[in-house]
């Protein structure tokens, strides 16, 4: 029998055309990958399925988003329908980089806060619909509150049991909390599904934690994380910056008093009643705040971008600074006490119209390795030392 042409399909099958005299037959031979079970194939692909921000280069094309889906129809279906690649990537990133651990914790915290806000709005809406509450409604609400307390207590006991019995790692436990939070109360503008829940968490961490946007104060200087410093703002554009940054906080925060963390619509909150009707919501809120004290101090204080390197353009390092103390004078000038909390790479920068030259920038937070390398470079540059390559060649710029 004479063998004819050999053709390939995108569906991972090889077609061999054979001819004998006038008769022609097609023999379908499965490819080498089709012999594996789908679970085994997913496990193999997970070793090469890199995600954005996982490798040095930031939000650049990666194998999971731009390479594997184009290999074949089977690979395209696996990468689009299965969430295991994003789950494995999250576990790797949370274990290796503190940025992703904090980002996952913030995701859980924000989801719980959104749920509490929703409960407050629903309760206030029901109050506005009726002026008087009957005795039956009071009894019914007391019963529902008692049931909610019992359910919370039982869930806490189950969580403690599961934590003690399951041999799960810290990363797996944290990721499970994020999955439970998104299933209980999906974030705004997201759709949680059984096949894309980890991808949703991944996108939320990138958009709401890794990326940071805020007004820019530009002044070249030497800055180190955790080393506070003071400034006097007198230019009109920086007076506007301080008025915008401090606007959500009470007046006492602009008079030199201690600035406390603030969660919008929750801290402070004057809509909760003090007659015992909202004790269940207050208990949930206090529980969430007590469990996330470290996050409140890191991410719920007034902050902006201090651009201390030139030129002010993409890939230039800058610093996110928090306002620890602020004293605003009558003329609008301000004496502020700032603390650097994170380095970023500037991704976009633009001048806001009508602000007298105030700039706005969006940046990507540096990881631990990049932050340490940048501080070493700043120290050498300050002492006029270095290896001659310059910042753009020495630092892992995304």
């Amino acid at each position: 029998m004479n063998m004819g042409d050999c053709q390939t399909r995108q569906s991972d099958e090889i077609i061999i055309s054979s001819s004998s005299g006038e008769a022609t037959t097609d023999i379908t031979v499965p490819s080498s990958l089709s012999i594996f079970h789908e679970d085994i194939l997913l496990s193999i692909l997970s070793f090469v399925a890199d995600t954005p921000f996982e490798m040095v280069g930031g939000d650049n094309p990666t194998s999971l988003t731009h390479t594997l889906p184009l290999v074949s129809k089977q690979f395209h279906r696996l990468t689009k329908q299965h969430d295991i690649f994003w789950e494995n990537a999250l576990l790797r990133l949370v274990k290796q980089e503190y940025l992703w651990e904090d980002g996952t914790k913030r995701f859980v915290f924000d989801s719980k806060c959104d749920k509490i806000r929703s409960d407050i709005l629903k309760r206030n809406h029901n109050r506005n619909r009726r002026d008087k509450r009957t005795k039956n409604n009071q009894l019914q609400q007391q019963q529902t509150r008692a049931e909610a307390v019992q359910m919370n207590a039982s869930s806490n006991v189950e969580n403690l049991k599961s934590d003690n019995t399951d041999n799960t790692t810290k990363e797996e436990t944290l990721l499970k909390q994020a999955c439970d939070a998104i299933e209980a109360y999906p974030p705004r503008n997201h759709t949680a599904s059984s096949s894309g829940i980890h991808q949703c968490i991944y996108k939320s961490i990138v958009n709401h934690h890794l990326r940071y946007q805020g007004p820019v104060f530009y002044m070249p200087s030497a800055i180190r994380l955790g080393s506070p410093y003071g400034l006097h703002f007198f230019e009109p554009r920086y007076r506007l910056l301080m008025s915008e940054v401090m606007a959500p906080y009470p007046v006492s925060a602009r008079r030199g008093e201690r600035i406390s963390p603030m969660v919008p619509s929750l801290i402070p909150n004057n809509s909760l009643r003090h007659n015992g009707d909202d004790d269940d919501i207050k208990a949930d809120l206090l529980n969430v705040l007590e469990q996330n004290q470290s996050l409140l101090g890191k991410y719920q204080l007034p902050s902006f971008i201090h651009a201390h390197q030139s030129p002010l353009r993409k890939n230039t390092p800058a610093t996110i600074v928090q306002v620890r103390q602020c004293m605003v004078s009558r003329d609008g000038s301000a004496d502020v006490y700032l603390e650097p909390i994170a380095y970023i790479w500037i991704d976009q920068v633009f001048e806001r119209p009508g602000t007298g030259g105030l700039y706005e920038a969006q940046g990507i937070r540096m990881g631990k390795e990049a932050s340490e390398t940048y501080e070493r470079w700043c120290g050498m540059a300050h002492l006029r030392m270095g290896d001659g390559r310059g910042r753009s060649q020495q630092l892992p710029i995304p």
Side-chain angles (χ1 to χ4, degrees), residues 1-54:
M1 181 175 60
N2 297 326
M3 302 299 295
D5 297 333
C6 178
Q7 303 175 3
T8 60
R9 287 182 183 173
Q10 198 176 5
S11 58
D12 304 320
E13 293 180 347
I14 301 176
I15 301 176
I16 301 176
S17 300
S18 60
S19 58
S20 178
E22 296 181 356
T24 302
T25 59
D26 291 339
I27 303 175
T28 301
V29 180
S31 66
S32 58
L33 291 176
S34 62
I35 63 176
F36 293 107
H37 190 271
E38 187 171 282
D39 293 339
I40 299 178
L41 189 57
L42 289 174
S43 179
I44 295 174
L45 294 179
S46 64
F47 286 96
V48 295
D50 298 325
T51 56
F53 296 97
E54 188 172 5

Side-chain angles (χ1 to χ4, degrees), residues 132-300:
K132 293 183 179 180
R133 188 176 299 169
T134 62
K135 185 176 181 180
N136 292 333
N137 288 336
Q138 291 180 349
L139 294 175
Q140 184 178 2
Q141 288 186 357
Q142 291 177 359
Q143 292 177 358
T144 55
R145 286 198 296 267
E147 292 175 357
V149 171
Q150 292 178 357
M151 291 179 61
N152 290 333
S154 61
S155 61
N156 292 333
V157 172
E158 291 178 357
N159 291 334
L160 291 175
K161 291 181 179 179
S162 61
D163 292 339
N164 293 330
T165 56
D166 296 343
N167 295 324
T168 57
T169 62
K170 181 181 69 173
E171 296 80 18
E172 294 172 345
T173 302
L174 184 59
L175 189 57
K176 184 179 184 304
Q177 293 176 0
C179 294
D180 294 340
I182 196 175
E183 289 177 350
Y185 194 83
R188 293 183 297 272
N189 303 324
H190 284 282
T191 301
S193 61
S194 58
S195 60
I197 188 170
H198 293 93
Q199 186 178 4
C200 177
I201 296 173
Y202 197 101
K203 291 181 178 178
S204 296
I205 294 174
V206 170
N207 294 330
H208 301 111
H209 180 68
L210 293 187
R211 298 188 185 277
Y212 177 88
Q213 182 171 342
V216 178
F217 168 71
Y218 178 73
M219 185 182 75
S221 58
I223 294 179
R224 290 183 65 88
L225 297 184
S227 299
Y229 60 97
L231 290 175
H232 176 70
F233 289 153
F234 59 91
E235 294 186 39
R237 55 177 176 174
Y238 298 137
R239 296 181 188 181
L240 176 62
L241 182 150
M242 289 307 304
S243 64
E244 291 180 352
V245 168
M246 300 301 298
Y249 292 82
V251 178
S252 60
R254 299 188 289 274
R255 294 179 178 174
E257 298 183 12
R258 179 178 177 271
I259 302 176
S260 300
M262 191 190 72
V263 182
S265 302
L266 293 181
I267 306 177
N269 190 294
N270 298 322
S271 61
L272 296 177
R273 295 189 175 183
H274 300 281
N275 58 358
D277 293 339
D278 297 330
D279 287 348
D280 54 338
I281 296 181
K282 291 180 181 179
D284 293 340
L285 178 59
L286 290 175
N287 187 29
V288 172
L289 297 179
E290 288 177 357
Q291 294 176 355
N292 298 275
Q293 287 292 331
S294 60
L295 294 181
L296 293 175
K298 285 183 179 179
Y299 305 108
Q300 302 300 328

Side-chain angles (χ1 to χ4, degrees), residues 14-148:
I14 301 176
I15 301 176
I16 301 176
S17 300
S18 60
S19 58
S20 178
E22 296 181 356
T24 302
T25 59
D26 291 339
I27 303 175
T28 301
V29 180
S31 66
S32 58
L33 291 176
S34 62
I35 63 176
F36 293 107
H37 190 271
E38 187 171 282
D39 293 339
I40 299 178
L41 189 57
L42 289 174
S43 179
I44 295 174
L45 294 179
S46 64
F47 286 96
V48 295
D50 298 325
T51 56
F53 296 97
E54 188 172 5
M55 307 297 292
V56 176
D59 193 11
N60 290 331
T62 59
S63 59
L64 179 59
T65 57
H66 293 78
T67 304
L68 292 178
L70 303 179
V71 173
S72 65
K73 290 182 178 179
Q74 184 184 18
F75 279 22
H76 184 273
R77 177 179 60 83
L78 292 176
T79 55
K80 296 301 180 182
Q81 294 183 0
H82 292 274
D83 203 35
I84 187 174
F85 304 113
W86 298 98
E87 179 183 3
N88 292 337
L90 282 171
L91 291 174
R92 292 193 299 266
L93 289 168
V94 171
K95 182 178 181 180
Q96 297 173 1
E97 184 60 64
Y98 75 95
L99 274 180
W100 287 86
E101 182 178 355
D102 277 4
T104 308
K105 291 179 180 178
R106 287 188 69 184
F107 178 86
V108 176
F109 175 73
D110 292 340
S111 298
K112 292 181 179 179
C113 289
D114 286 341
K115 186 177 187 309
I116 294 175
R117 292 189 188 97
S118 177
D119 293 340
I120 294 175
L121 290 175
K122 289 179 181 178
R123 186 159 298 182
N124 291 335
H125 178 69
N126 293 333
R127 285 172 182 161
N128 294 331
R129 292 181 60 183
R130 60 182 182 270
D131 296 328
K132 293 183 179 180
R133 188 176 299 169
T134 62
K135 185 176 181 180
N136 292 333
N137 288 336
Q138 291 180 349
L139 294 175
Q140 184 178 2
Q141 288 186 357
Q142 291 177 359
Q143 292 177 358
T144 55
R145 286 198 296 267
E147 292 175 357

